[in-house]
Amino acid sequence: MRAEMWRLYRHLVFGGVVIVLSCYVVMAFTQARFSASRVEQLLCVDAEISSVLLLSGISQQLPESQFNWTLQLTEPLSISTISSLISQKKWLKFPDNSYQLTFEYSGQSVLMGRAYRHDKFFKFESLLQRFLLSGQMSYQDKKSLIENMPCLSVEYISSKSPSVLTGVALVHGAYGEYGFLWEDEEADGAVYLSIVHEENISLTFTVVIIVFVGMLVMLILIWRELVSLDFKRKTFESITRQIARGRSGLPKGIPDSNGTLKELAYSFDSMSSHIQRLLKVQREMINAISHELRTPIARLRFGLEVMKDEVDDDVAKSIEALEGDVEELNTLVDEVLTYGKLEGGSLELNFKELSISQLVDGILRHNHLLLQHLSVDVDINEADIVLADEHHLSRALQNLILNAAKYAASKISITFSHDSERWQLDIEDDGPGIAFEDRDKVFIPFQRLDNSRTRASGGYGLGLAIVQRIAFWHGGAVLIDASESGGAKFSLIWSRNQHQNTLS
């Protein structure tokens, strides 16, 4: 289990590191792209204003510009031509991060600028002052030109500017931009000029996407580990159930072959094998002792029979009492041997159709002396037929009926019922009953309860254990409940579809 926990911890740490590094890389990349894009936008504004100044003849030299310009014109161009050239300008970016800008007119280059290295400081205010405050161009021409500059944003406002050209900052929520307010004498209001910002993916949104994807990957990895752990848990539960049912040896293909699961499974298997060996030795010892007891018991019985013919009546009564003890001992040996065979699976069962009514009637007639002081109510249809081993089912029913007779105060009820899957025979008495916490103990061999159901009532503690094993090999079980008359209710249930032909 330590390996699985370490794997989960490793996934968490690895996922966290990947998320942090991914966010850092994305933020650095986005910042670099944004910085490069910002520089290109600033250079574009510089180029557009500078080209207007040079192509219109307002200025011949522009030291404020980031470009080194080469002008190949002898006469200024018209406003409409300049507007057309601005919209059709050609950009080139070289590997050394330098830029070249070309303006062509009639198929020839009329203006070319090269920005080899750009300074950190852009002097737009000086360029705008040269352009907007020039007296060589009318307000309408200036307005037409700035409206045709793709990299310059134009917005007309009604507020007044404190001077002809004023630098202002405009704040949009958490973001801000810097621009200029221009107010001409011919204009009715001011014009706000700013740099057009390209659409950039929001940095916050990108980080959120990265975190979400990272968390999703982490959850998938952790989910896989949890599914694997749950599969191993179910496998281990299945193995423990098989071991509990007496299976020896582990199944093939156990997952986590090098982990704790297989070690634990092998430990359980070793423990189960050890327990099975102890039980086998115990059964063999009990069976051997029981078999060995049969011979001296037979000799005792024969000797007592011979002695009865040679003694007087007083001694004969003592001999008869001894014969009763010998018969009781013989019965005990028979019970032990029967239980050993049922537990060890060495009996052969022959299933056939039986009349449950005739079977119960035969048991009642055979034991009428033990039942004569009780009222026995039988609720069984004579047409009911069951599939069972006659000898062992009769033994189980006889044990249940005689067990009920030992503790019943006045009556016993025997009821048979069935459905499409099982048969059920209920035997109830009006005796003291069995406490709920003691109901499982009655099936333990030689187990006695500390109540009225004690050895004083007879028996050896094997009768119900034998009934349970017979029910098991019939594909059923024995259940205990409280009787409506206040005593105990034993229900022998066996399957109509599942049974063993042999116990081996």
Side-chain angles (χ1 to χ4, degrees):
M1 197 62 66
R2 183 179 300 174
E4 284 77 7
M5 297 303 296
W6 167 246
R7 238 185 341 258
L8 286 175
Y9 178 74
R10 185 179 62 194
H11 288 333
L12 289 173
V13 173
F14 177 75
V17 171
V18 169
I19 290 175
V20 172
L21 291 179
S22 300
C23 291
Y24 174 78
V25 170
V26 169
M27 292 177 67
F29 176 76
T30 305
Q31 186 175 7
R33 288 290 304 272
F34 180 77
S35 177
S37 176
R38 186 66 172 171
V39 168
E40 291 179 359
Q41 292 168 7
L42 295 175
L43 288 174
C44 180
V45 173
D46 183 320
E48 289 177 348
I49 299 175
S50 299
S51 63
V52 169
L53 293 173
L54 294 172
L55 294 175
S56 63
I58 295 177
S59 298
Q60 299 297 321
Q61 298 292 332
L62 296 175
E64 301 91 343
S65 176
Q66 299 286 340
F67 290 87
N68 292 328
W69 295 102
T70 300
L71 182 63
Q72 298 178 356
L73 279 179
T74 56
E75 296 293 334
L77 298 177
S78 64
I79 300 301
S80 59
T81 302
I82 295 174
S83 299
S84 176
L85 292 180
I86 291 174
S87 61
Q88 297 176 5
K89 61 184 179 291
K90 296 181 180 180
W91 279 91
L92 285 176
K93 183 179 180 180
F94 296 97
D96 59 352
N97 289 329
S98 61
Y99 296 86
Q100 178 178 297
L101 185 61
T102 304
F103 295 87
E104 294 182 354
Y105 178 65
S106 298
Q108 297 182 353
S109 174
V110 295
L111 180 63
M112 185 176 65
R114 184 75 179 268
Y116 295 95
R117 285 187 177 180
H118 56 80
D119 296 330
K120 294 181 179 180
F121 304 100
F122 289 80
K123 303 173 184 178
F124 295 119
E125 188 172 357
S126 298
L127 293 174
L128 284 173
Q129 285 179 348
R130 283 176 177 263
F131 171 49
L132 298 177
L133 303 183
S134 171
Q136 300 179 23
M137 193 178 298
S138 67
Y139 170 74
Q140 294 298 328
D141 290 340
K142 297 174 184 178
K143 178 181 175 182
S144 175
L145 286 171
I146 61 176
E147 288 178 347
N148 285 280
M149 293 182 182
C151 296
L152 196 64
S153 175
V154 181
E155 183 179 353
Y156 298 95
I157 58 178
S158 59
S159 62
K160 294 293 182 178
S161 175
S163 62
V164 177
L165 188 64
T166 306
V168 295
L170 182 62
V171 178
H172 301 279
Y175 302 94
E177 63 182 22
Y178 186 74
F180 298 91
L181 284 178
W182 170 49
E183 185 175 358
D184 194 84
E185 296 178 353
E186 301 179 14
D188 296 332
V191 180
Y192 173 67
L193 305 175
S194 63
I195 299 173
V196 174
H197 297 284
E198 294 182 358
E199 294 292 334
N200 290 285
I201 298 176
S202 172
L203 183 61
T204 303
F205 179 74
T206 305
V207 172
V208 169
I209 292 296
I210 293 296
V211 172
F212 174 77
V213 173
M215 293 295 293
L216 185 61
V217 172
M218 285 178 60
L219 290 176
I220 291 175
L221 293 176
I222 294 173
W223 175 253
R224 287 183 58 189
E225 291 297 329
L226 293 177
V227 169
S228 176
L229 286 175
D230 186 63
F231 173 72
K232 294 173 183 178
R233 177 190 62 81
K234 292 179 179 178
T235 303
F236 183 70
E237 288 181 356
S238 175
I239 292 173
T240 54
R241 290 196 201 99
Q242 294 175 21
I243 292 175
R245 294 190 185 104
R247 172 175 180 167
S248 59
L250 291 175
K252 297 180 179 180
I254 297 178
D256 189 31
S257 58
N258 296 322
T260 308
L261 176 62
K262 191 168 185 178
E263 294 179 4
L264 191 58
Y266 273 119
S267 298
F268 268 86
D269 182 61
S270 177
M271 178 182 65
S272 173
S273 299
H274 182 64
I275 293 174
Q276 288 179 3
R277 285 195 298 270
L278 293 177
L279 291 175
K280 182 179 179 181
V281 170
Q282 182 188 44
R283 286 195 297 266
E284 290 176 350
M285 181 182 66
I286 293 175
N287 290 337
I289 293 174
S290 300
H291 277 291
E292 292 298 326
L293 285 175
R294 281 186 175 272
T295 300
I297 289 174
R299 286 201 297 264
L300 283 173
R301 182 184 294 168
F302 178 74
L304 291 173
E305 286 288 342
V306 172
M307 290 176 62
K308 274 198 307 184
D309 297 333
E310 300 177 358
V311 297
D312 55 25
D313 293 339
D314 293 335
V315 178
K317 292 182 180 178
S318 300
I319 292 176
E320 289 179 357
L322 291 174
E323 285 181 335
D325 293 336
V326 171
E327 185 61 31
E328 185 176 349
L329 182 59
N330 187 63
T331 304
L332 173 60
V333 170
D334 182 63
E335 294 273 297
V336 171
L337 288 175
T338 301
Y339 181 76
K341 291 178 181 179
L342 286 168
E343 184 69 23
S346 59
L347 285 179
E348 184 175 352
L349 301 182
N350 298 311
F351 287 84
K352 62 181 181 179
E353 293 185 349
L354 304 171
S355 170
I356 190 66
S357 175
Q358 293 179 6
L359 191 64
V360 172
D361 288 342
I363 295 172
L364 296 178
R365 287 196 304 270
H366 182 71
N367 298 279
H368 71 279
L369 293 178
L370 298 175
L371 301 172
Q372 60 184 355
H373 67 288
L374 300 173
S375 171
V376 180
D377 297 331
V378 180
D379 184 10
I380 302 177
N381 192 327
E382 294 183 358
D384 287 331
I385 302 297
V386 300
L387 184 66
D389 179 89
E390 182 176 6
H391 173 71
H392 290 93
L393 181 61
S394 176
R395 178 69 175 271
L397 296 181
Q398 177 174 281
N399 286 0
L400 289 176
I401 293 172
L402 295 182
N403 180 75
K406 293 175 185 177
Y407 309 109
S410 60
K411 67 175 181 177
I412 296 175
S413 298
I414 303 174
T415 306
F416 178 76
S417 60
H418 62 85
D419 56 25
S420 60
E421 297 182 356
R422 63 181 184 175
W423 292 292
Q424 179 172 335
L425 193 70
D426 299 326
I427 300 174
E428 305 179 49
D429 62 69
D430 59 350
I434 302 176
F436 180 80
E437 60 273 12
D438 293 332
R439 290 176 182 174
D440 290 336
K441 298 179 182 179
V442 300
F443 297 111
I444 302 175
F446 305 106
Q447 180 73 34
R448 309 304 300 178
L449 302 183
D450 296 330
N451 55 21
S452 62
R453 295 177 180 264
T454 62
R455 193 174 295 278
S457 60
Y460 312 102
L462 282 173
L464 294 178
I466 291 174
V467 173
Q468 186 187 52
R469 298 309 298 170
I470 292 175
F472 172 77
W473 290 112
H474 278 73
V478 182
L479 305 180
I480 305 177
D481 202 351
S483 172
E484 294 182 357
S485 57
K489 174 183 178 182
F490 286 82
S491 298
L492 175 61
I493 302 171
W494 70 104
S495 173
R496 301 182 67 147
N497 303 315
Q498 299 178 0
H499 56 270
Q500 301 286 344
N501 288 328
T502 65
L503 300 185
S504 57

